[in-house]
Every structure is written in C-alpha cells, then in structure tokens.
Amino acid sequence: MIVAHLPAGYIVSTLLFHRFEKYGASRLIFLRAGLLGSIAPDLDMIYFYGFDHRAHPHHSYFSHFPSVWLLLLTLAILCFQHCKQKKLALLALIFTGNGMLHMLLDYISTNIYWLAPFVNRPFALITVPSVYQDWWLNFLLHRSFALEILIVLWATCLWCRRRLARHELVE
Ligand SMILES: [Zn+2]
C-alpha cells in the first residue's frame, strides 16, 4: 500500500473516537496517536535507505512483523483494561491498533511475513507483477490501487463532513 495508510488511520481513529471519548483524551491527541500508528511501521524506510542501503526488503524488518504489532496491541489492551490511568493506555491502543491495520493493508498487495520471526516466508494476498522499471508505477497502475483510492475518498468525505459540522456549530 502506498498512499492509503494515513487516510485509513484517519478513518479508524475518527470512527472510534466517540466510543473512547469518556476516557479523557482530546480528539486531536487521539487522532495524532492513531495517525502516527498508521504510518509507524514505514518509519523503517529510514533504516532501509539510510543504513541498510536497500539490501533487504523493509517488510523483512521486525518493524513490519505482524507478531510484533500483535504483541504491542495485546499489551496495550491489557494496560487499557487494568490500568487506572486509561488515557495513556488508550493512546497506545489506537497507536498499536492502527499499526496492526497497517500490516493488514500491506498484506493486500505486498509481502508480509505473517509467521516471522519463526518462519521467514512472505505472504501476499495479490501479487502485483513487475511490468514497469519504477516499482511504484507497478502498484499505481494495478487494479489493487482502486482500493487505495476508495480509502482516500472515504477519508476525504469524513474530513469534509467533520469540517462542515464544525462550521455549522460556529455559525
Ligand atoms: Zn508498510
């Protein structure tokens, strides 16, 4: 997935906020934690380009292992259930939840190592053929990119609706 991680994080965070509003986190902080979580796995690109010099696929780093995000999400759920201070645990919950969502979205058209670190084998729901020299063009012109466009449109609609509702409140 190329462009839809952030919009997907926005959709999930926006739709879930009202359920968790009572725990004291402001909408803005909740949204920021959710958006950061939705792109956090891709921060490994810094290591990929800066230190690994593209020697290994960045999806083979631990930062893209679903087991890591599942573990973090489980810890966040446990903290949320058992800690008295729910606000911080809630932010960890939306952060790790969107990190896990990132794994699912990446899995649609790129390799994800679902069984890592135990089995070093990638899985992808759809294989995007390498037709063009530029890797991103292969994804952009593949039918699976339609899903990304839908996610971006959905997020845009949500954002516009919120802005409109806020504008009506002010007037
Ligand atoms: Zn990714």
Side-chain angles (χ1 to χ4, degrees):
M1 193 144 283
I2 301 172
V3 295
H5 285 304
L6 210 58
Y10 178 81
I11 292 166
V12 170
S13 308
T14 301
L15 294 180
L16 286 181
F17 178 66
H18 73 277
R19 283 175 178 266
F20 297 103
E21 208 172 356
K22 59 186 171 198
Y23 296 107
S26 73
R27 187 185 177 280
L28 190 64
I29 299 286
F30 186 79
L31 192 63
R32 280 179 183 165
L35 290 177
L36 192 62
S38 71
I39 55 161
D42 279 343
L43 294 178
D44 60 15
M45 298 287 265
I46 297 166
Y47 181 80
F48 178 65
Y49 285 108
F51 301 95
D52 200 25
H53 305 293
R54 302 167 65 180
H56 308 93
H58 79 108
H59 284 191
S60 69
Y61 301 157
F62 78 92
S63 45
H64 262 88
F65 287 173
S67 58
V68 169
W69 286 98
L70 202 58
L71 177 70
L72 293 174
L73 179 61
T74 307
L75 289 173
I77 290 170
L78 288 173
C79 279
F80 184 71
Q81 282 176 335
H82 299 289
C83 289
K84 282 191 176 167
Q85 171 59 290
K86 302 267 186 216
K87 191 174 157 184
L88 205 60
L90 175 64
L91 298 179
L93 191 64
I94 190 66
F95 178 87
T96 54
N98 277 350
M100 193 63 212
L101 175 69
H102 184 114
M103 299 296 108
L104 292 169
L105 293 175
D106 269 355
Y107 169 63
I108 293 170
S109 58
T110 51
N111 285 329
I112 283 293
Y113 293 71
W114 281 103
L115 305 175
F118 309 107
V119 178
N120 191 28
R121 186 183 155 207
F123 298 90
L125 196 62
I126 300 166
T127 304
V128 176
S130 187
V131 180
Y132 307 99
Q133 212 168 11
D134 295 316
W135 66 268
W136 52 270
L137 211 52
N138 291 312
F139 287 94
L140 227 63
L141 300 176
H142 190 263
R143 65 180 189 278
S144 64
F145 194 70
L147 178 66
E148 297 211 40
I149 294 169
L150 277 177
I151 293 172
V152 171
L153 287 175
W154 185 4
T156 308
C157 281
L158 265 180
W159 185 77
C160 287
R161 252 184 35 198
R162 267 204 57 78
R163 270 190 74 87
L164 205 67
R166 241 175 39 195
H167 189 70
E168 280 170 2
L169 272 177
V170 171
E171 281 181 0

